[in-house]
């Protein structure tokens, strides 16, 4: 958590606009670092506090998520679907550590929603990290939808290709084979297919 926490707090510090913001910021950092039951209660209250800037909920949700406190789930999913990729990445990191069984379903819903493809990169990567039952079907579905010429979302498709290779499920073979025809995906697709073949051969 520590490196990601430092990245988050360094970024948020640039969003502070007043001395009062600085006081709140330092208070949240102290609560996160102590990680006591009373501190987690205060962080949880921050998730639903009104008229607070987004960064307060982000710090609270990240800290609670990494501590395995499921009260962070809704806020982290909101941030995973946010328009700012940096916030999406932070949320994905915390969700991967949260241990909430709802996480994979939420990530799959975001990854496979054609209206949210522009924001699907981190949900896709999260699905690969989770290795949940939802992961392979969602990545296959998303990849197949993106195997069109000149898609602007080729980075999302590439993440699907890489994730499917890491997951090692041979249900991905047809989609990965189709990806070989796409110049930006071909090398990664070949590598993922090789991993699948290696896994099969290793099982004898």
């Amino acid at each position: 958590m520590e490196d990601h926490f430092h990245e988050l707090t360094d970024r948020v510090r640039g969003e502070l606009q007043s001395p009062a913001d600085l006081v709140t910021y330092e208070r949240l950092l102290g609560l996160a670092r102590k990680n006591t039951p009373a501190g987690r209660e205060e962080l949880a209250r921050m998730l639903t506090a009104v008229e607070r800037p987004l960064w307060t909920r982000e710090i609270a949700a990240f800290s609670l998520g990494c501590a395995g406190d499921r009260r962070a789930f809704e806020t982290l999913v909101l941030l995973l679907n946010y328009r700012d990729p940096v916030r999406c990445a932070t949320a994905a990191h915390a969700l991967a550590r949260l241990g909430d069984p709802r996480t994979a379903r939420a990530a799959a819903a975001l990854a496979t929603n054609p209206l949210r493809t522009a924001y699907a990169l981190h949900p896709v990567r999260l699905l690969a990290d989770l290795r949940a039952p939802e992961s392979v079907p969602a990545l296959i579905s998303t990849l197949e939808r993106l195997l069109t010429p000149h898609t602007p979302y080729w980075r999302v498709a590439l993440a699907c290709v890489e994730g499917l290779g890491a997951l090692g499920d041979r249900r991905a073979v047809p989609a990965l084979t189709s990806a070989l025809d796409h110049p930006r995906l071909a090398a990664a697709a070949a590598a993922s297919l090789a991993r699948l073949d290696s896994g099969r051969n290793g099982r004898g």
Side-chain angles (χ1 to χ4, degrees), residues 11-140:
R11 168 170 55 81
V12 165
R13 191 177 183 89
E15 300 181 30
L16 306 182
Q17 297 182 348
S18 69
D21 280 354
L22 180 59
V23 171
T24 300
Y25 170 83
E26 291 179 344
R27 174 68 176 166
L28 289 172
L29 266 57
L31 293 171
R33 290 191 174 110
K34 289 179 182 177
N35 191 26
T36 63
R40 290 194 294 275
E41 288 297 325
E42 188 169 342
L43 290 170
R45 287 195 294 271
M46 190 64 66
L47 297 178
T48 56
V50 297
E51 297 183 357
R52 292 281 189 174
L54 181 61
W55 58 262
T56 61
R57 285 187 289 156
E58 184 179 11
I59 292 175
F62 180 85
S63 303
L64 291 169
C66 290
D69 191 318
R70 294 182 181 180
R71 289 175 291 184
F73 175 77
E74 286 82 4
T75 300
L76 289 172
V77 170
L78 172 69
L79 291 168
L80 183 65
N81 193 33
Y82 203 68
R83 62 182 177 273
D84 183 349
V86 178
R87 285 198 156 102
C88 295
T90 298
H93 179 83
L95 282 165
R97 284 144 189 82
L98 178 59
D100 193 305
R102 298 171 292 175
T103 298
R105 294 192 297 273
L110 293 175
T112 58
N113 185 344
L115 300 179
R116 304 300 295 172
T117 305
Y119 309 105
L121 179 61
H122 292 289
V124 162
R125 289 175 175 170
L126 177 58
L127 284 166
D129 288 342
L130 292 173
R131 309 185 75 87
E134 296 88 348
S135 296
V136 170
L139 295 187
I140 290 173

